[in-house]
């Protein structure tokens, strides 16, 4: 009985391509003349089998280390050729040997030669063809920049049209050869063209409109090809253009910039989500292409989880757009808090829709996490501290409940993270040194009490490893809250110590599970007697406190001895 084929889809596709290539070579040898077969055998190098793509947990630089010397020699060679073009322009300008048109013609001719070589060898040596075509595009970009900025022999419209033509050529060759590196190079050149051809006469609306058009083109290519390197190049480059354009803008220009922010957010969000949904619905048709020349730096960790890029963008894009928009406008937080809440509701609805209609949990979880993050920001912008901490606690409880009920690990993680933030905030509020004017029944006192109760309630849906820490944090918060709120009463320190004693005694008598907490509470009360009450409590009350706690401990040692030993026996028997 044959063993099942455990190869991945990419490995099978590579094997199929090799088999088809072998059949084509065999057919060519059979149909060619003997002289042609001999000449072909002498001209073609011995072909080595291609290694199967490795998907694992190796470091991202391992794929580059395995490229071999030819990979690095070829990259070094094309880099030296491009540097020679730059040095030639500089040297010719200094010496005055060549006229500006001749220098530009040389750069164009060099790019044409590289492109011709790349097209010539694209069937025999695909990796070398890609290298030559990329070098041709880079040479033309350098030539266009030099002709406009350095030599000043081209007008802006002519130089701009030339750079756009180079960008279109680069994209076209990338699509034709199915090479992501050419697509990324085209995105860099296209988005960088306004800066390569920088002039004082440029306008912000034209820059924003041009950037949106380039991003629209790269988004369409990503939708068809699934090149994650192209997607991330477009995301980083597009937002970088808007950030650079946001300096010293007028009120009218702010509206243009805001439209650009919204356009980039919507385009990247829609194309990332749609691509993942299409790939999930039809993996064979919409499979992700693993580029051969980009290396492991851009594709390594995302190969096993191809939807990770989309999930990360879904979460990061709305937050980035919100923070960027808020920095552009000098307005209050109410507008942006309301906008964040509206977008959060939209993302939550999309998460429910994806969960109901598509089997793509990572994308649904990403939208849910984005909705939670946006709602957290909205609460922080819309409300003051007391209401803010209450709503954050309620949101954290809801996230833990939804995560536990629907098995959404991402939502549970968000709930735990938000509770950690709330816990540190509560610690700062309790130890801030601000004495309340009214005991318990104040906005600060009631809001902190809600947080403490929320920690206790949330322990029911928290992760098993963190459940006890929720209870511990809630109980420690309760002790701190009682101290802060009751100490403002007349004889407040004595009341706090007495309350600690009553609370500790109650926990001691409640059950074996709460017995240690009761003992710790009583010891804290005794420590407070010596460290605080000796100086701050009235002498008569101090006598009563020491007498009362002394009698309490004596009574505990006498009356609870048998009960204590009886409760320890089952535990000892179970350990044996």
């Amino acid at each position: 009985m044959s063993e099942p084929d455990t190869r991945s889809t990419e490995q099978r596709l590579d094997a199929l391509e090799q088999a088809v290539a072998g059949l084509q070579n065999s057919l060519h040898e059979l149909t060619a003349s003997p002289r042609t077969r001999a000449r072909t055998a002498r001209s073609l190098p011995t072909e080595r089998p291609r290694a199967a793509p490795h998907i694992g947990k190796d470091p991202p630089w391992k794929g580059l280390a395995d490229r071999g010397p030819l990979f690095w020699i070829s990259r070094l060679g094309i880099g030296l050729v491009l540097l020679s073009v730059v040095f030639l322009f500089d040297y010719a300008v200094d010496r005055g040997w060549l006229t500006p048109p001749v220098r530009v013609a040389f750069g164009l001719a060099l790019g044409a030669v590289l492109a011709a070589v790349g097209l010539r060898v694209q069937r025999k040596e695909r990796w070398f063809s890609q290298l030559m075509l990329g070098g041709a595009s880079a040479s033309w970009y350098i030539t266009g920049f030099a002709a406009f900025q350095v030599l000043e022999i081209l007008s802006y419209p002519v130089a701009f049209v030339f750079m756009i033509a180079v960008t279109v050529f680069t994209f076209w060759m990338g699509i034709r050869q199915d090479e992501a590196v050419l697509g990324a190079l085209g995105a860099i050149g296209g988005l960088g063209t306004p800066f390569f051809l920088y002039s004082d006469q440029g306008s912000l609306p034209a820059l924003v409109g041009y950037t949106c058009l380039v991003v629209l083109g790269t988004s369409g290519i990503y939708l068809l090809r699934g090149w994650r390197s192209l997607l991330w190049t477009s995301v980083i480059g597009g937002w970088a253009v808007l950030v650079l354009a946001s300096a010293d803008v007028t009120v009218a220009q702010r509206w243009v910039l805001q439209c650009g922010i919204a356009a980039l957010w919507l385009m990247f969000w829609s194309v990332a989500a749609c691509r993942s949904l299409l790939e999930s619905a039809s993996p064979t048709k919409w499979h992700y292409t693993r580029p051969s020349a980009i290396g492991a730096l851009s594709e390594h960790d995302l190969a096993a989880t191809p939807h990770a890029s989309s999930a990360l963008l879904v979460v990061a894009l709305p937050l980035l757009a919100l923070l960027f928009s808020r920095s552009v406008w000098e307005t209050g937080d109410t507008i942006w808090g309301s906008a964040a809440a509206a977008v959060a509701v939209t993302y939550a609805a999309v998460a429910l829709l994806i969960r109901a209609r598509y089997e793509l949990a990572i994308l649904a979880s990403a939208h849910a996490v984005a909705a939670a993050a946006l709602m957290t920001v909205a609460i922080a912008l819309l409300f003051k501290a007391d209401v803010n901490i209450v709503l954050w606690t309620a949101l954290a409880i809801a996230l833990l409940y939804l995560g536990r009920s629907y098995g959404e690990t991402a939502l549970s993680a968000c709930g735990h993270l938000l509770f950690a933030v709330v816990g540190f905030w509560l610690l700062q509020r309790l130890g801030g040194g601000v004495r309340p004017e009214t005991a318990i029944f104040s906005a600060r006192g009631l809001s902190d009490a809600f947080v403490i109760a929320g920690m206790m309630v949330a322990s029911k849906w928290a992760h098993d490893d963190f459940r006890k820490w929720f209870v511990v944090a809630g109980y420690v918060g309760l002790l701190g809250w009682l101290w802060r709120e009751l100490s403002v009463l007349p004889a407040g320190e004595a009341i706090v110590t007495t309350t600690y004693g009553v609370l500790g005694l109650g926990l001691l008598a409640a059950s074996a599970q709460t017995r240690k907490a009761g003992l710790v509470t009583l010891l804290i009360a005794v420590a407070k007697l010596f460290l605080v009450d000796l100086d701050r409590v009235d002498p008569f009350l101090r006598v009563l406190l020491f007498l009362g706690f002394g009698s309490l401990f004596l009574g505990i040692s006498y009356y609870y001895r048998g009960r204590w030993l009886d409760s320890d026996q089952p535990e000892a028997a179970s350990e044996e």
Side-chain angles (χ1 to χ4, degrees), residues 91-353:
Y91 188 75
V93 170
D94 293 338
R95 297 286 181 173
W97 289 351
L98 300 176
T99 61
V102 174
R103 302 167 200 163
V104 174
F106 179 81
L108 296 176
L110 178 61
V113 170
L114 294 176
V117 173
L119 294 174
R120 176 64 178 170
V121 301
Q122 61 181 343
R123 292 184 179 181
K124 297 180 180 179
E125 298 291 346
R126 182 178 175 183
W127 65 274
F128 192 76
S129 172
Q130 169 195 330
L131 185 67
M132 292 295 102
L133 292 173
S137 298
S139 178
W140 286 332
Y141 278 128
I142 295 173
T143 303
F145 166 78
F148 177 77
Q149 294 286 8
V150 181
L151 303 177
E152 298 181 354
I153 63 173
L154 291 182
S155 62
Y156 182 85
V158 175
F160 186 80
V161 171
F162 172 76
M163 299 291 267
I164 294 300
V166 176
T167 301
V168 172
F169 169 80
T170 308
F171 281 138
W172 176 63
M173 294 308 303
I175 296 174
R176 179 181 177 182
Q177 295 199 348
D178 196 20
E179 287 293 347
V181 66
L182 294 177
L185 179 61
I188 295 174
L191 293 173
T193 292
F195 300 96
F196 298 151
L197 307 179
Y198 176 77
S199 64
D200 296 334
Q201 300 178 354
S203 64
L204 182 63
L207 176 62
V208 173
Y210 171 78
T211 303
C212 292
L213 287 177
V214 174
V215 169
L216 182 63
T218 57
S219 299
I221 296 175
Y222 171 73
L223 188 64
L224 295 176
R225 296 294 182 177
W227 295 336
R228 292 187 292 274
S229 55
L230 173 63
L231 175 64
W232 282 105
T233 303
S234 302
V235 170
I236 296 174
W239 286 109
V241 170
L242 295 187
V243 169
L244 293 175
S246 62
D248 299 330
V249 294
T250 63
V251 176
Q253 291 175 337
R254 289 176 184 174
W255 285 107
V256 176
L257 189 60
Q258 184 61 57
C259 292
I261 294 172
L264 290 190
W265 161 49
L266 292 175
M267 281 191 289
F268 287 133
W269 174 33
S270 59
V271 73
C274 290
R275 174 69 201 192
S276 290
L277 293 177
L278 290 173
E279 195 276 338
S280 177
S282 180
T284 304
K285 180 179 179 181
W286 298 95
H287 69 279
Y288 281 88
T289 303
R290 186 178 177 86
S292 59
I294 274 297
L297 291 178
S298 63
E299 309 287 339
H300 177 80
D301 292 332
L302 300 178
T305 56
H307 304 290
S309 290
S310 299
L312 182 58
L313 287 178
V314 165
V315 176
L317 283 174
L319 297 174
L320 178 62
L322 177 64
L323 295 177
F324 192 7
S325 300
R326 186 168 176 263
S327 66
V328 171
W329 296 91
E330 299 177 357
T331 56
D333 294 335
T334 303
I335 296 177
W336 299 114
S338 302
V343 177
V345 173
T346 303
Y347 270 69
V350 173
L352 293 176
L353 179 63

Side-chain angles (χ1 to χ4, degrees), residues 26-44:
S26 300
L27 181 61
H28 177 72
E29 292 178 358
L30 291 175
T31 56
S33 62
R35 180 179 300 177
T36 304
R37 290 199 299 267
R39 185 172 60 252
T40 302
R42 290 193 303 268
S43 61
L44 290 179

Side-chain angles (χ1 to χ4, degrees), residues 472-498:
V472 171
Y475 187 67
V476 172
L478 175 62
L479 295 179
W481 180 81
L482 289 173
W483 195 334
R484 187 192 69 184
E485 297 296 323
L486 298 180
S487 61
V488 300
L489 297 173
E493 295 296 344
I495 295 176
V496 172
T497 306
T498 304

Side-chain angles (χ1 to χ4, degrees), residues 409-420:
T409 307
L411 290 182
S412 296
C414 290
H416 286 85
L417 179 61
L418 187 54
F419 254 121

